Amino acid sequence: MKKMMKLMMVMVSLLIVGCGSEKVSGTEGEKVYIVGTAPNFVPFEYMEGDKIVGFDMDLLAEIEKESGLKFKVVGMDFSGLLPALQTKKIDLIVAGMSVTEARKKNVNFSLPYFDVSQVIMAGEGSKNIGQESDIEGKKIGVVMGTTSDTIADDFAKKLDGVEVQKYNKLHEAVLSLQAEKIDMIILDYQQASKTIEKNNGLKLATHVLESENYAIAMGKKDTELLKTIDEALKKIVNGERYNELIKTYIK
């Protein structure tokens, strides 16, 4: 009987992930929205035991309280998030996703909830990268599907000798950097800071790349959902609870 129950639970979970909110209901038939995230992005979303936690997860909980919406979070590689949204396997992306013009062609973005800069992380003993020309001849590591990935590809096109190595997860890139298989990693400032705190022998380059905004992504047709989330975000971002999230996870 226990084995049969476990099998039934697995089948229900697969239905949830495979069909988005259309097949998921909470108490009394209320809709539950499936939220995709990539839980290897400290401090925004990461694993703590078997639970996904972080700034974005606490923000999502606040949106749930403010809006009355119900969410279920599923984890996957960052590069799989947009395809999952476009094929309706998930309803929302809350994953420290930057707003870009290319992404806006395929999804709706909420109001921004966080500003961030792209930076360069390198080995502590390496020569400082103080300007763009210092990147020539370097091997760059990035997480696949991120804006860092796009930036690195642009460097490979316009700078001599640049090679780009793409990874599914940041810790894979960090291991390569520590093993001197790559020269640098392009990533978000907050993520770089947390990585340097936990790993010896790494530093930030003085050359800072472009700034961008994080927002919540959803389908182009989900205009009512967008409106509801934006209304909740306005109240949250301008309130004390948001400041508490910043103090807990960022500062």
Side-chain angles (χ1 to χ4, degrees):
M1 178 62 75
K2 288 184 178 179
K3 289 183 178 179
M4 181 63 71
M5 288 296 292
K6 287 181 179 179
L7 180 60
M8 290 176 67
M9 289 174 69
V10 169
M11 291 175 68
V12 170
S13 297
L14 289 172
L15 282 172
I16 288 173
V17 174
C19 302
S21 64
E22 294 179 358
K23 298 295 182 182
V24 184
S25 59
T27 57
E28 299 180 0
E30 62 189 359
K31 184 178 289 188
V32 177
Y33 292 93
I34 305 302
V35 179
T37 193
N40 51 13
F41 186 41
V42 179
F44 291 91
E45 39 270 329
Y46 55 97
M47 300 302 300
E48 198 168 85
D50 60 355
K51 185 179 180 182
I52 302 175
V53 299
F55 181 96
D56 282 348
M57 297 302 99
D58 282 6
L59 178 66
L60 188 65
E62 291 301 312
I63 293 172
E64 196 170 46
K65 292 176 190 174
E66 189 65 46
S67 66
L69 298 173
K70 300 297 179 185
F71 302 118
K72 177 179 175 63
V73 179
V74 295
M76 61 187 72
D77 287 339
F78 191 89
S79 59
L81 289 169
L82 286 172
L85 182 63
Q86 290 165 353
T87 55
K88 301 187 184 301
K89 292 180 180 179
I90 59 175
D91 303 298
L92 298 157
I93 297 172
V94 181
M97 179 166 280
S98 302
V99 179
T100 68
E101 292 304 315
R103 288 173 178 162
K104 283 166 69 175
K105 292 177 182 177
N106 299 305
V107 304
N108 277 335
F109 278 108
S110 70
L111 294 171
Y113 65 82
F114 196 83
D115 300 327
V116 69
S117 296
Q118 292 286 317
V119 296
I120 295 169
M121 185 171 67
E124 200 166 45
S126 64
K127 182 181 177 182
N128 179 50
I129 298 171
Q131 55 191 3
E132 187 174 291
S133 60
D134 293 335
I135 299 171
E136 287 188 350
K138 296 289 191 294
K139 291 182 180 179
I140 305 173
V142 293
V143 175
M144 195 181 306
T146 62
T147 49
S148 305
D149 187 351
T150 304
I151 292 169
D153 283 344
D154 288 343
F155 282 143
K157 291 174 184 176
K158 66 182 179 179
L159 297 175
D160 292 336
V162 170
E163 297 179 28
V164 181
Q165 182 66 49
K166 305 188 181 192
Y167 302 87
N168 284 318
K169 295 177 173 61
L170 177 62
H171 76 266
E172 297 170 353
V174 172
L175 288 174
S176 289
L177 181 60
Q178 290 171 327
E180 299 183 356
K181 293 179 180 178
I182 56 176
D183 301 302
M184 53 184 277
I185 299 172
I186 297 177
L187 70 174
D188 298 347
Y189 171 76
Q190 278 73 21
Q191 192 179 26
S193 296
K194 294 294 182 181
T195 302
I196 290 170
E197 281 179 16
K198 296 181 178 181
N199 295 273
N200 294 325
L202 301 178
K203 68 176 182 181
L204 284 179
T206 56
H207 182 54
V208 178
L209 307 176
E210 58 194 59
S211 297
E212 51 197 30
N213 299 311
Y214 290 164
I216 298 170
M218 63 207 79
K220 278 287 190 183
K221 294 182 180 180
D222 294 330
T223 53
E224 286 301 314
L225 178 60
L226 175 64
K227 181 180 177 182
T228 301
I229 288 177
D230 276 350
E231 288 175 352
L233 275 176
K234 284 178 187 176
K235 295 177 182 177
I236 295 165
V237 171
N238 292 317
E240 184 56 36
R241 179 60 180 140
Y242 184 82
N243 293 332
E244 291 174 9
L245 292 181
I246 294 292
K247 290 176 184 177
T248 299
Y249 291 103
I250 309 300
K251 293 182 178 179

